Amino acid sequence: MKYTEEHEWLRVEGDYVVVGITEHAATQLGDVVFVELPETETMVAAGDEVVVIESVKAASDILAPVDGEIVAVNSKLTDNPGLVNEDPTGAAWFFKMKLDDLSVLDQFMDEDEYNDLIG
């Protein structure tokens, strides 16, 4: 997995990149009560707001980590937003992206670097 400074994780699955938030981010948010997912077949640029998460503490946006196309979303989160708290780095992925070049992921942190970031 790769990690962003915005506490997102990125996992390569074949030609796609799966995006979610880290356990650290889920803990900071508190109990998630609402998730708004993007439309599939949407082209996004790095930094675009893609997902809206609302918790009992705050609302937060998930940004596109890289340029690409949203090819799938995890509709389970719409019915069960609490899954983000239960399994943030597994079943609670938000969306899958298709990238032109997977090597752009090299710019992100590995697990050791991310752990250093969050202390």
Side-chain angles (χ1 to χ4, degrees), residues 2-10 19-26 28-29 53 62 88-89 94 109 114-115 117-119:
K2 293 289 190 173
Y3 299 87
T4 72
E5 291 183 2
E6 291 76 29
H7 308 288
E8 298 166 359
W9 55 260
L10 315 171
V19 181
I21 63 171
T22 65
E23 188 170 340
H24 176 78
Q28 294 298 313
L29 279 170
I53 302 174
I62 302 300
T89 57
F94 288 103
M109 294 175 275
Y114 180 72
N115 287 331
L117 174 74
I118 62 174

Side-chain angles (χ1 to χ4, degrees), residues 22-97:
T22 65
E23 188 170 340
H24 176 78
T27 301
Q28 294 298 313
L29 279 170
D31 293 336
V32 175
V33 296
F34 175 79
V35 175
E36 181 181 330
L37 297 167
E39 297 290 324
T40 56
E41 300 180 6
T42 301
M43 297 300 294
V44 295
D48 285 356
E49 177 186 300
V50 181
V51 175
V52 176
I53 302 174
E54 293 181 11
S55 72
V56 294
K57 291 184 181 179
S60 184
D61 299 324
I62 302 300
L63 307 179
V66 292
D67 299 348
E69 178 185 3
I70 305 293
V71 295
V73 296
N74 188 354
S75 56
K76 290 179 186 175
L77 297 180
T78 305
D79 296 330
N80 183 12
L83 195 57
V84 173
N85 301 108
E86 295 166 21
D87 190 11
T89 57
W93 58 274
F94 288 103
F95 56 92
K96 293 182 182 182
M97 297 181 73

